[in-house]
Amino acid sequence: MDLNKAQVIGRITQEVELKQTPNGQNVTSFSIATNRNWTDSSGMKQEQVEFHNIVLWGKLAEIAGQYVKKWSKLFLEGRLQTRSWEKDGVTRYTTEVIASEMKMLGARDSSGTYRPPEGNTVHKGPGP
């Protein structure tokens, strides 16, 4: 049995921009930051930040484009996908989380303070 499943909880690093493919399908892509904290062997606190590329399709992309803002905290679940393209004769690669589920974990009020949204709604999308 094979398994390709990714789960990420983090904050969006840019405003979400909803786009449409030439055939009219909604899509959005953005980066989400996660961090890991630990204490090293000398007792010093350490932190490592990772940035993950996220892609949402269909209704899920539409919901994100409408409600998700920069610094929003999200839970995303989906699958990993690596794609490649060629630029200036060099093959480049990127790995993305193609999310099929999204849960909004917090919202920012007018003072900039995060508060949990009502219901912590889970949204599911079909993916491409």
Side-chain angles (χ1 to χ4, degrees):
M1 181 170 98
D2 298 329
L3 177 66
N4 181 353
K5 187 174 186 176
Q7 295 180 325
V8 180
I9 296 175
R11 295 200 184 273
I12 295 181
T13 62
Q14 74 237 26
E15 291 300 333
V16 174
E17 183 181 346
L18 181 63
K19 297 179 183 179
Q20 283 192 332
T21 63
N23 67 358
Q25 190 173 18
N26 290 328
V27 63
T28 189
S29 59
F30 51 86
S31 178
I32 195 164
T34 60
N35 65 341
R36 180 174 74 95
N37 297 299
W38 75 97
T39 303
D40 66 18
S41 59
S42 65
M44 297 291 295
K45 296 214 181 276
Q46 301 291 323
E47 179 178 33
Q48 179 182 10
V49 178
E50 293 286 337
F51 297 92
H52 311 277
N53 298 317
I54 308 295
V55 179
L56 304 175
W57 290 93
K59 185 69 174 170
L60 203 55
E62 188 179 327
I63 291 167
Q66 189 173 6
Y67 295 107
V68 175
K69 305 294 179 211
K70 184 176 181 178
W71 306 123
S72 295
K73 191 169 189 176
L74 297 178
F75 163 82
L76 296 155
E77 183 174 309
R79 61 185 168 82
L80 293 175
Q81 178 176 294
T82 301
R83 60 183 174 89
S84 64
W85 69 98
E86 194 168 308
K87 182 177 179 180
D88 301 326
V90 177
T91 303
R92 303 185 186 268
Y93 299 90
T94 188
T95 300
E96 302 163 321
V97 176
I98 310 300
S100 56
E101 187 174 318
M102 175 179 71
K103 185 173 186 177
M104 293 178 259
L105 300 177
R108 191 166 38 179
D109 64 18
S110 59
S111 71
T113 303
Y114 283 93
R115 58 180 169 71
E118 295 179 26
N120 277 343
T121 307
V122 173
H123 301 282
K124 294 188 177 188

